[in-house]
Amino acid sequence: MPKIVFIQPDGVSRSIDADAGQNLMDIATNHLVSGIVGDCGGCCSCATCHVYVDDAWAAKLVPADEMEQAMLEGVIDPQTGSRLGCQIQLSDALDGLVVRMPARQF
C-alpha cells in the first residue's frame, strides 16, 4: 500500500495511504485534498489535478504522453515536475511519493 505525501503551498503536508492501481487524482479527491479539483473525472481534459512531482520521484513515473503534455501547456505556473494527477497510476514502487500542490488551479 503506497503512502503519498501531499504538500500544500503553505508547506503543510498530509500523508495518505492509497491502494496500488488508483490514480493520484482519485486519491486526492476521495480524501478531500485541497487544491485538486478533478473536474473531468480523470479523462485528461481539464488539468485541474495539476501537481508538482518532487524531483526525487519524477524519473520513477511513467513519462507523460502527448495528451498530458498538451494539457500541461495550459496550466497556471508550470514547472519542471508538473504532471496531471489523473495520469499518475500508483504502484507499490511509488511508496513515499511526494507531490506539491500549485498555489492555484484554474
Side-chain angles (χ1 to χ4, degrees), residues 57-68:
W57 290 95
K60 297 178 182 180
L61 300 179
V62 173
D65 64 15
E66 288 182 27
M67 179 181 269
E68 181 180 2

Side-chain angles (χ1 to χ4, degrees), residues 7-9 35-36 50-52 76-77 100-105:
I7 302 175
Q8 295 296 320
I36 298 290
H50 175 220
V51 296
Y52 305 121
I76 297 171
D77 195 23
R100 297 182 189 288
M101 315 310 293
R104 60 189 181 132
Q105 295 283 9

Side-chain angles (χ1 to χ4, degrees), residues 25-102:
M25 183 214 65
D26 284 337
I27 292 158
T29 57
N30 289 341
H31 290 89
L32 304 175
V33 172
S34 180
I36 298 290
V37 180
D39 278 341
C40 73
C43 297
C44 194
S45 63
C46 72
T48 61
C49 61
H50 175 220
V51 296
Y52 305 121
V53 175
D54 189 82
D55 291 341
W57 290 95
K60 297 178 182 180
L61 300 179
V62 173
D65 64 15
E66 288 182 27
M67 179 181 269
E68 181 180 2
Q69 290 175 15
M71 291 304 302
L72 287 168
E73 289 178 11
V75 300
I76 297 171
D77 195 23
Q79 297 179 11
T80 303
S82 286
R83 292 295 303 266
L84 298 182
C86 67
Q87 299 302 298
I88 299 174
Q89 292 295 118
L90 295 178
S91 67
D92 290 331
L94 295 178
D95 183 32
L97 176 65
V98 176
V99 296
R100 297 182 189 288
M101 315 310 293

